[in-house]
């Protein structure tokens, strides 16, 4: 039997929730990483995915200007990155430099891959769609990369749960 509740009341049961990192090039040539839970694959052929970005994010401003981005699936080693990239803005700080996160050049786009991630996808923006206070950017996946040790991905386990982090979304 279902009982009515607010949207927020349902949040604890959504865990574990996958998390990602979106990387977009800034105007100064550096790359800005942002934690993003709201990512999904949307097509097999061509391979496509979508990410939902809030209007106030620096990443939103950058993605309106840029035609390329990387979606990274952080590994279990990358909890510090997910917390930091998801609670600081690239408007004020160079997040990659601050944490000394290992990166390597993308192979097809002008982008950066996160070396310790479970996987990385190089994407080209194909369109966007407004949903309330976020914009969904759709991208075609031009190249995929996996960690050579096939590292397991990080999940948001929820507040109060071991290894979990509290997402600042919604
Ligand atoms: C686990 C986690 C998941 C998040 N998911 C999203 C998301 O899907 N979309 C979004 O717009 N913001 C999301 N955020 C919030 C942004 O990551 C956060 O506001 C960030 O500081 C924005 O950085 P920027 O200003 O450099 O773009 C998430 C934060 C965390 C911690």
């Amino acid at each position: 039997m279902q009982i009515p509740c607010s949207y927020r009341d349902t949040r604890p049961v959504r865990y574990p929730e996958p998390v990602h990192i979106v990387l977009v090039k800034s105007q100064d040539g550096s790359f800005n990483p942002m934690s993003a839970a709201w990512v999904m694959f949307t097509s097999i052929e061509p391979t496509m995915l979508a990410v939902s970005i809030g209007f106030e994010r620096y990443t939103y401003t950058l993605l309106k200007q840029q035609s390329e981005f990387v979606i990274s699936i952080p590994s279990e080693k990358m909890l510090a990155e997910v917390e930091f990239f998801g609670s600081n803005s690239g408007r004020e700080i160079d997040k990659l430099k601050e944490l000394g996160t290992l990166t390597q050049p993308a192979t097809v786009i002008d982008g950066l891959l996160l070396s310790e991630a479970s996987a990385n996808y190089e994407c080209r923006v194909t369109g966007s769609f407004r949903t309330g206070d976020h914009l969904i950017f759709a991208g075609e996946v031009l190249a995929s990369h996996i960690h050579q040790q096939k590292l397991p991905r990080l999940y948001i386990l929820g507040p109060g749960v071991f290894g979990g982090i509290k997402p600042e979304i919604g």
Side-chain angles (χ1 to χ4, degrees):
M1 163 142 8
Q2 296 287 301
I3 55 167
C5 69
S6 73
Y7 158 74
R8 285 190 182 277
D9 291 337
T10 67
R11 291 182 73 182
V13 301
R14 294 196 342 230
Y15 301 118
E17 187 173 41
V19 66
H20 311 78
I21 295 169
V22 193
L23 287 130
V24 191
K25 191 174 187 177
S26 313
Q27 271 173 338
D28 68 2
S30 64
F31 288 86
N32 184 54
M34 186 200 100
S35 302
W38 295 351
V39 173
M40 66 174 177
F41 279 87
T42 60
S43 168
I44 300 166
E45 190 52 54
T47 306
M48 294 184 66
L49 50 73
V51 53
S52 187
I53 310 278
F55 297 142
E56 69 274 24
R57 317 286 189 236
Y58 184 47
T59 299
Y60 173 83
T61 306
L62 296 178
L63 258 180
K64 289 294 269 186
Q65 301 162 356
Q66 303 288 349
S67 58
E68 298 174 331
F69 63 97
V70 165
I71 293 284
S72 190
I73 298 183
S75 68
E76 285 176 343
K77 295 178 173 184
M78 296 177 69
L79 177 59
E81 269 84 1
V82 170
E83 286 183 319
F84 191 76
F85 298 164
S87 55
N88 291 279
S89 179
R91 282 194 189 91
E92 282 96 43
I93 194 169
D94 184 332
K95 295 190 245 183
L96 287 175
K97 210 180 259 180
E98 194 70 23
L99 285 198
T101 304
L102 286 180
T103 62
Q104 60 193 79
T107 58
V108 175
I109 67 167
D110 180 15
L112 272 192
L113 312 178
L114 299 183
S115 301
E116 297 290 282
S118 300
N120 287 274
Y121 304 96
E122 301 182 34
C123 305
R124 178 176 299 140
V125 176
T126 57
S128 61
F129 179 80
R130 183 177 174 164
T131 56
D133 53 11
H134 282 54
L135 196 75
I136 294 175
F137 291 91
E140 181 173 351
V141 176
L142 303 179
S144 304
H145 307 267
I146 190 168
H147 195 281
Q148 56 186 0
Q149 289 164 8
K150 296 198 168 60
L151 296 178
R153 77 181 298 169
L154 183 74
Y155 285 90
I156 306 165
L157 300 181
V161 182
F162 174 74
I165 58 172
K166 191 168 189 279
E168 290 181 297
I169 54 176

